Amino acid sequence: MYANRVLSGMRPTGKLHLGHYHGVLKNWIKLQHEHECLFFVADWHALTTHYDTPEVIQNNIWEMVVDWLAAGIDPALATLFIQSQVPEHAELHLLLSMFTPLAWLERVPTYKDQQEKLAEKELSTYGFLGYPLLQSADILIYRANLVPVGEDQVPHIEFTREIARRFNHLYGREPGFEQKAEAAIKKMGGKKARLYEELRTRYQQEGDTEALEAGHALLNEQQNLSLGDRERLFGYLEGGGKVILTEPQALLTSASRMPGLDGQKMSKSYHNTISLRDTPDEVTKQIRIMPTDPARVRRTDPGTPEKCPVWALHQVYSEDGVRDWVSVGCRSAGIGCLECKQPVIDQVLKELVPIQERAAHYNENPTLVRNLIADGNEKARELARDTMRDVRQVMGLNHD
Ligand code: TRP
Ligand code: SF4
């Protein structure tokens, strides 16, 4: 049995590029050797913003899976699946929605941020508001404890922890826990029982920690309680119970901000990407036309590497020797910019060779890809079903 279970998802909204590779996929590839890993295509999440362009989602799902495999995600090590093929995510999302305060969703920072960023789109929708809760369902349904994500997603993981806590608080009790606790209270006798009830209310409703301490003292004084009853009343006082859903932790992807062709972070919205599927000619051309330090108008003008986006790429791709050569050559106008770019071009092309070879293999064998996703879907469903059995049971939905 594995100690940890890692889960992460990606929305199929566009071609993957070197930013995804360096920022996300390399980390997944490492994790698949260390832990049980589940990686999935978040197609429902993509629909929350792309509900008017379903073809984008349809086309990108399989390309994205091929890109993952091409990058080195190994289906023998990690379970790969598609969110919408495990409908239990939707069922858990619905059940969690029953006790999720609207205010919790409205205060998730990505909600307003994204609405403002994508202002041209109608995003005052029920589905978009529920985005983080659907994400919670994705995570909680597998009882995953580690979730590799970028910094922007940390509030969603924090939110998920709160949902898990609230769930466990509401439903995490042994069968008949409340009745047993209530019976134990009665055994303390009228006056003490009333005091216990009062302290419990004060702690749970107002967070009054003095009431909690007084409650502990009261229980410790009780001679006529069995050990089991005393334990129950300690738990009941704090509102704790059995843990049914696991609180996950964010595994922060080290902020390896892959620089784009213009020096900003590589991102589709900045149109500064090198895609994993770009041909060697395209890659070469894109790097050759990259802007450089504007001070180097002529070949004889010296430049400052720190003012040049090519320098940022050298940080990712070049060894010390090459970087020294750039640093000296740029400042002294000893090298030209095209010369300077060549080692970067070479390294990017070298990095893409095995990726594109694997991509070709999978593209030639679409059935292989379909089958491996079908297997992943099935594995995921089995795990999800297990959790849902427990969830339905404690939420009064066990109708067998
Ligand atoms: N919201 C995530 C993103 O945009 C994608 C995602 C959906 C996800 N469900 C998830 C990530 C569950 C981790 C775990 O990157
Ligand atoms: Fe940029 Fe290199 Fe040209 Fe200097 S020599 S400006 S670092 S491309």
Side-chain angles (χ1 to χ4, degrees):
M1 198 44 208
Y2 293 96
N4 291 311
R5 181 176 285 163
V6 172
L7 172 110
S8 199
M10 207 187 273
R11 284 169 303 145
T13 52
K15 283 197 270 189
L16 297 196
H17 49 67
L18 284 174
H20 296 110
Y21 179 65
H22 285 271
V24 182
L25 293 171
K26 272 181 20 187
N27 190 37
W28 288 11
I29 290 161
K30 180 169 85 68
L31 288 167
Q32 69 183 351
H33 293 284
E34 300 168 349
H35 308 290
E36 178 184 11
C37 283
L38 298 155
F39 300 124
F40 71 97
V41 179
D43 53 347
W44 279 335
H45 276 105
L47 267 182
T48 64
T49 50
H50 289 62
Y51 53 81
D52 53 351
T53 50
E55 64 286 353
V56 171
I57 293 164
Q58 188 76 64
N59 296 338
N60 280 310
I61 288 180
W62 295 103
E63 288 206 349
M64 190 165 88
V65 171
V66 169
D67 282 346
W68 289 0
L69 296 164
I73 304 285
D74 182 347
L77 295 173
T79 301
L80 308 182
F81 66 98
I82 299 173
Q83 184 185 37
S84 65
Q85 298 305 297
V86 188
E88 283 83 356
H89 289 224
E91 184 185 356
L92 183 58
H93 179 205
L94 174 79
L95 294 182
L96 300 177
S97 78
M98 301 302 169
F99 60 81
T100 302
L102 268 182
W104 288 19
L105 286 163
E106 283 162 352
R107 72 167 187 234
V108 173
T110 46
Y111 178 58
K112 289 222 163 61
D113 288 358
Q114 288 294 103
Q115 272 189 338
E116 280 164 23
K117 226 168 129 189
L118 305 172
E120 73 284 359
K121 227 168 225 171
E122 168 60 286
L123 285 182
S124 299
T125 57
Y126 181 50
F128 188 67
L129 179 67
Y131 185 113
L133 191 63
L134 179 58
Q135 187 163 350
S136 300
D138 297 338
I139 298 167
L140 297 174
I141 206 161
Y142 301 105
R143 297 177 161 122
N145 60 328
L146 298 176
V147 185
V149 284
E151 217 168 331
D152 61 314
Q153 294 290 309
V154 171
H156 292 174
I157 308 304
E158 201 37 60
F159 173 82
T160 301
R161 294 167 61 82
E162 282 170 26
I163 295 291
R165 238 175 275 146
R166 185 153 166 81
F167 183 96
N168 290 329
H169 171 67
L170 287 166
Y171 310 110
R173 306 253 150 98
E174 63 179 315
F177 177 86
E178 306 228 353
Q179 290 88 323
K180 285 180 190 159
E182 290 293 341
I185 294 175
K186 290 212 179 80
K187 287 183 204 158
M188 289 198 292
K191 221 170 137 191
K192 301 231 167 96
R194 245 172 288 129
L195 177 59
Y196 176 90
E197 295 279 24
E198 187 201 313
L199 294 170
R200 177 169 178 266
T201 309
R202 262 172 54 200
Y203 175 63
Q204 291 194 15
Q205 293 189 356
E206 295 148 40
D208 181 343
T209 48
E210 274 174 33
L212 179 65
E213 276 169 40
H216 285 167
L218 175 68
L219 289 175
N220 283 328
E221 284 165 18
Q222 298 310 300
Q223 306 297 333
N224 54 343
L225 282 180
S226 72
L227 224 63
D229 276 343
R230 196 197 305 260
E231 285 303 316
R232 260 176 216 113
L233 290 186
F234 271 115
Y236 198 49
L237 185 65
E238 296 183 41
K242 215 172 124 196
V243 173
I244 299 176
L245 297 179
T246 308
E247 281 184 44
Q249 275 190 333
L251 253 189
L252 254 194
T253 312
S254 59
S256 103
R257 297 234 153 159
M258 174 71 187
L261 292 164
D262 58 357
Q264 298 186 79
K265 179 186 178 212
M266 187 178 281
S267 158
K268 186 177 71 170
S269 44
Y270 299 146
H271 306 287
N272 63 357
T273 62
I274 297 174
S275 128
L276 297 186
R277 290 166 185 248
D278 285 346
T279 63
D281 280 351
E282 286 167 334
V283 171
T284 306
K285 187 165 158 234
Q286 291 179 96
I287 299 179
R288 288 175 76 97
I289 62 174
M290 267 179 79
T292 60
D293 176 0
R296 294 206 73 182
V297 182
R298 280 173 298 266
R299 165 72 176 74
T300 48
D301 295 330
T304 313
E306 289 74 20
K307 293 182 181 162
C308 177
V310 179
W311 179 241
L313 287 178
H314 276 292
Q315 305 307 309
V316 177
Y317 287 104
S318 301
E319 317 219 314
D320 288 352
V322 176
R323 290 212 296 257
D324 291 345
W325 169 76
V326 172
S327 183
V328 173
C330 179
R331 287 175 224 280
S332 62
I335 58 170
C337 288
L338 282 178
E339 231 177 302
C340 173
K341 288 171 173 176
Q342 195 56 46
V344 171
I345 295 173
D346 293 342
Q347 287 306 314
V348 172
L349 292 181
K350 194 169 142 201
E351 178 168 73
L352 287 176
V353 168
I355 295 181
Q356 298 192 344
E357 274 173 11
R358 277 189 294 259
H361 167 69
Y362 285 109
N363 279 328
E364 284 157 19
N365 296 283
T367 341
L368 177 64
V369 180
R370 303 263 159 179
N371 286 343
L372 104 217
I373 289 294
D375 284 353
N377 291 339
E378 192 43 51
K379 272 192 221 157
R381 256 180 242 132
E382 253 167 57
L383 299 172
R385 257 184 237 132
D386 259 0
T387 308
M388 286 317 295
R389 208 171 293 129
D390 292 351
V391 169
R392 284 190 208 112
Q393 164 93 35
V394 296
M395 289 187 79
L397 300 170
N398 180 10
H399 306 316
D400 293 338

